[in-house]
Amino acid sequence: MASVPSLAATVHQRVANALSAALPEAGSADPLLRRSDRADFQANGLLALAKKLKGNPRELAAQVVGVLDGTAEGAERPADDVVQDVEVSGPGFLNITLSDQAIVRTLAARAADARLGVPYAEHPGTTVIDYAQPNVAKEMHVGHLRSAVIGDAVVRILEFSGEQVVRRHHIGDWGTQFGMLIQYLIEHPHELDHGGEGEVSGEEAMSNLGRLYKASRVLFDSDEEFKARSRDRVVALQAGDEETLALWQRFVDESKIYFYSVFDKLDMEIRDPDVVGESGYNDMLDETCRLLEESGVAVRSEGALCVFFDEFKGPDGKPTPLIVRKSNGGYGYAATDLSAIRDRVHNLKANTLLYVVDARQSLHFRMVFETARRAGWLGDDVRAEQLAFGTVLGKDGKPFKTREGETVRLVDLLDEAVDRAAVVVREKAQDLTEEEIAERAAQVGIGAIKYADLSTSAARDYKFDLDQMVSLNGDTSVYLQYAYARIQSILRKAGDTRPAAHPELTLAPAERALGLHLDQFAETLAEVAEAYEPHKLAAYLYQLASHYTTFYSECPVLKADSPAQVENRLFLCDLTARTLHQGMALLGIRTPERL
Ligand code: ARG
């Protein structure tokens, strides 16, 4: 089905046409239409126009009103006009009120579409998105939470808009620390054995890795000979020695068991072929460096291969170079990211490269992008952007740490959120079984964490406050989930009475407000997808739930005045629920049918 133009778009067109009919000398001026408290919409464009035409804004506005309401000569009002009333206000604004009929008709067209009238992007392309990138043999912490949650939402939003999305989980699976880990495993061969008792859990996998990491670290720091053997092991790993690689693979596999268990808890689908970590670019590193050196983009400096920039300086005022190859011949983070760009642009045919990564890595990405531009790997036709996110803070406003000053384990946070949610769900539960309470608690608890992360703009830091996150009042996912569940309960109670739009009815103010907000869904999504701003979708959904709450308290649904009004209100309920459900799904949050 073709997309349904929003009321806002229709009114915009109508006013723009009236403008050029009333004031042909104005050309195609923008009426500058926005939602307003006074009327449904306000057009402010006449002020600037009057200045340009050296006319009186109120007089010009009156001429436009004449065209809109059909009183001007030759003007004709369409039979099913969306505009019911228009008047001049203030210095020359137009206050525009829509007809109830137009509101209900437009919403009915939206409701008839499975996509709720949301069009596909006009020019979809291919976006490669780099997100959810934990590190092998290390615990996941809150920073990894943000990348995963924001990235997952952006993937869903872009895919819904019709964009081709390629996911890349650039996990940290390479580096000198593996020399130490592998060497330790060679010398303590049974440390990663699972005793043939079937699959290990994610928790066990991580605890094995953690134990091994600590033990090998201790040895590395205290035993010079072990340290030397570890260094040789790095060389063997980089040379592709088979035995060494096989042991490295065991660390990766064990870590994946753990990662997948965490992503599972997060109710997030991560697919194995999309996990292409740092090691995935090993074969390209030599060539990447050769090309950079040949083209003169990188130069040797004190034995290292570096790219210099005038614009990026360190705290000491000296230019900070991007080190592509260290003086000992080793490759680091930059070489991998540059190789990944080549792969993503040339092989994956990306038009957009998106990196959902901590803001503290911004300098790295600016240098990497600039280098890739100089090398010609990133042309003008490719957009490269870091969707940089801020830090998760504790209640004290400092970076989130345990009381002992350690980084907080992500799984502990998730488990605690689910426990808290269970309390909230149980309090309200009327006809839920224990099993249902547990299932809802996971949906509410994980939803709460995701929503708290997604409802502030990514760039900002936010405080991790579970009390606030699972609160029933305020801007939380639980509030939205309850609004949804309450609607479902009304729809169930309605029995055989089905939602149906009745454009002939007069709407109450709360119905109009709800309807006009529902009308904005597609436009909000387009904006959200364009600028990668899930927080604007969260804000939209929160306002939707708030409008619904007002509607619900002012407009009886099942006890409305007439059967037609019951159906029409059920229709508004149903469209609200579907919009909430769709919007929350795009944020990666569940909306249980009962709570
Ligand atoms: N693994 C890194 C970390 O934990 C994030 C990787 C970001 N992506 C990239 N292409 N550099 O900080």
Side-chain angles (χ1 to χ4, degrees):
M1 171 173 167
S3 71
V4 183
S6 68
L7 289 163
T10 312
V11 176
H12 181 98
Q13 198 54 53
R14 178 99 172 80
V15 178
N17 291 347
L19 246 170
S20 38
L23 312 164
E25 65 277 30
S28 56
D30 187 344
L32 296 181
L33 197 72
R34 64 194 57 174
R35 288 276 283 119
S36 143
D37 306 331
R38 304 261 189 86
D40 295 332
F41 290 94
Q42 187 168 71
N44 299 343
L46 283 160
L47 295 188
L49 198 61
K51 223 178 213 162
K52 209 175 105 190
L53 301 178
K54 300 203 177 23
N56 174 332
R58 281 189 67 94
E59 274 166 25
L60 296 185
Q63 290 175 38
V64 179
V65 171
V67 175
L68 281 170
D69 68 12
T71 52
E73 221 190 275
E76 211 175 309
R77 249 179 118 162
D80 54 352
D81 196 4
V82 286
V83 175
Q84 172 172 310
D85 193 40
V86 51
E87 55 186 34
V88 180
S89 90
F93 302 136
L94 293 179
N95 281 350
I96 299 160
T97 305
L98 307 194
S99 77
D100 291 343
Q101 204 184 75
I103 294 176
V104 177
R105 248 193 286 116
T106 303
L107 296 181
R110 238 149 233 259
D113 177 18
R115 287 177 57 85
L116 301 170
V118 179
Y120 287 104
E122 266 175 57
H123 307 286
T126 299
T127 294
V128 176
I129 175 169
D130 185 312
Y131 73 106
Q133 327 95 329
N135 300 317
V136 164
K138 293 208 182 119
E139 278 283 355
M140 290 174 74
H141 54 72
V142 279
H144 297 122
L145 171 76
R146 295 215 71 186
S147 176
V149 169
I150 298 168
D152 185 55
V154 172
V155 166
R156 290 163 186 268
I157 290 163
L158 291 180
E159 283 183 344
F160 191 67
S161 81
E163 180 81 359
Q164 179 81 32
V165 180
V166 182
R167 314 164 190 204
R168 280 292 173 266
H169 307 292
H170 197 88
I171 60 171
D173 62 357
W174 202 250
T176 48
Q177 78 274 20
F178 285 100
M180 170 184 101
L181 286 167
I182 294 167
Q183 189 58 33
Y184 188 86
L185 191 57
I186 289 176
E187 297 175 18
H188 304 80
H190 301 299
E191 283 288 322
L192 273 186
D193 286 356
H194 297 153
E197 278 162 41
E199 310 237 311
V200 288
S201 68
E203 197 89 11
E204 286 163 332
M206 189 59 236
S207 110
N208 288 339
L209 290 164
R211 188 167 24 83
L212 225 132
Y213 195 94
K214 278 201 193 99
S216 61
R217 185 90 241 173
V218 168
L219 207 54
F220 189 84
D221 290 338
S222 62
D223 182 340
E224 283 304 318
E225 282 171 25
F226 177 73
K227 200 181 224 170
R229 293 198 295 279
S230 298
R231 296 237 163 96
D232 291 343
R233 190 53 59 187
V234 177
V235 176
L237 179 66
Q238 283 169 347
D241 171 64
E242 246 170 69
E243 186 207 355
T244 308
L245 272 177
L247 290 169
W248 167 81
Q249 189 64 49
R250 287 188 63 189
F251 281 99
V252 175
D253 292 343
E254 189 86 358
S255 296
K256 279 189 178 175
I257 296 176
Y258 163 70
F259 297 156
Y260 285 131
S261 76
V262 179
F263 289 129
D264 203 45
K265 252 187 211 201
L266 273 170
D267 192 13
M268 205 175 268
E269 188 208 19
I270 301 289
R271 313 171 191 147
D272 211 41
D274 300 330
V275 181
V276 182
E278 295 175 21
S279 69
Y281 305 95
N282 279 348
D283 291 347
M284 300 176 73
L285 302 174
D286 280 334
E287 194 180 31
T288 295
C289 288
R290 184 173 57 74
L291 293 172
L292 287 175
E293 199 171 2
E294 278 174 9
S295 60
V297 172
V299 293
R300 303 236 185 181
S301 167
E302 295 168 35
L305 189 64
C306 301
V307 183
F308 287 92
F309 311 87
D310 292 334
E311 61 269 46
F312 306 130
K313 294 203 172 75
D316 55 359
K318 288 202 191 121
T320 348
L322 183 71
I323 300 175
V324 191
R325 194 178 55 220
K326 292 180 240 172
S327 54
N328 68 4
Y331 298 109
Y333 201 43
T336 327
D337 265 325
L338 286 166
S339 302
I341 289 182
R342 292 174 56 212
D343 179 52
R344 291 169 190 188
V345 174
H346 296 130
N347 302 328
L348 300 176
K349 310 271 178 249
N351 313 102
T352 305
L353 302 178
L354 196 58
Y355 295 80
V356 189
V357 183
D358 195 309
R360 285 169 286 196
Q361 295 189 29
S362 292
L363 180 61
H364 167 76
F365 282 105
R366 278 160 62 202
M367 297 202 288
V368 164
F369 296 161
E370 174 59 22
T371 301
R373 297 234 178 258
R374 289 184 193 173
W377 300 330
L378 271 182
D380 291 341
D381 51 342
V382 183
R383 170 176 176 188
E385 196 171 315
Q386 182 192 2
L387 208 174
F389 53 79
T391 306
V392 181
L393 308 173
K395 276 188 190 174
D396 57 2
K398 302 208 185 94
F400 200 25
K401 292 270 156 65
T402 62
R403 250 177 258 131
E404 293 74 36
E406 288 175 31
T407 44
V408 186
R409 290 176 359 130
L410 180 52
V411 268
D412 292 342
L413 286 182
L414 302 182
D415 290 345
E416 198 184 337
V418 174
D419 288 348
R420 298 277 191 103
V423 177
V424 178
V425 172
R426 192 180 298 278
E427 241 165 54
K428 285 242 170 183
Q430 287 171 345
D431 46 2
L432 296 183
T433 64
E434 277 306 306
E435 200 181 315
E436 285 171 320
I437 290 180
E439 192 195 326
R440 303 297 190 281
Q443 300 178 339
V444 169
I446 298 302
I449 285 194
K450 289 185 180 178
Y451 188 85
D453 199 301
L454 293 169
S455 56
T456 39
S457 104
R460 298 204 6 215
D461 299 345
Y462 73 90
K463 281 190 190 162
F464 196 94
D465 179 353
L466 275 176
D467 295 325
Q468 188 275 327
M469 288 180 193
V470 299
S471 158
L472 288 169
N473 302 309
D475 188 5
T476 63
S477 60
V478 203
Y479 174 67
L480 299 177
Q481 288 169 324
Y482 265 108
Y484 178 82
R486 197 161 33 163
I487 298 175
Q488 294 309 320
S489 141
I490 295 171
L491 292 169
R492 281 193 298 273
K493 280 198 198 116
D496 289 338
T497 314
R498 302 308 307 152
H502 287 276
E504 74 281 6
L505 294 177
T506 307
L507 298 179
E511 291 177 295
R512 294 177 62 86
L514 177 62
L516 287 168
H517 192 70
L518 282 167
D519 179 57
Q520 291 298 298
F521 187 51
E523 274 155 25
T524 305
L525 277 184
E527 223 180 285
V528 164
E530 174 57 32
Y532 315 124
E533 291 179 324
H535 73 280
K536 290 196 176 156
L537 175 55
Y540 171 86
L541 296 172
Y542 176 59
Q543 285 159 9
L544 179 58
S546 307
H547 280 300
Y548 182 78
T549 304
T550 310
F551 158 81
Y552 183 70
S553 68
E554 290 177 9
C555 307
V557 177
L558 298 175
K559 296 204 170 88
D561 290 342
S562 68
Q565 197 172 46
V566 173
E567 289 179 354
N568 198 54
R569 287 188 175 164
L570 283 173
F571 162 74
L572 286 173
C573 288
D574 186 48
L575 186 59
T576 302
R578 286 171 59 197
T579 307
L580 279 173
H581 175 81
Q582 179 64 70
M584 291 288 264
L586 292 176
L587 296 178
I589 302 174
R590 304 259 178 192
T591 38
E593 299 295 301
R594 284 169 206 262
L595 259 186

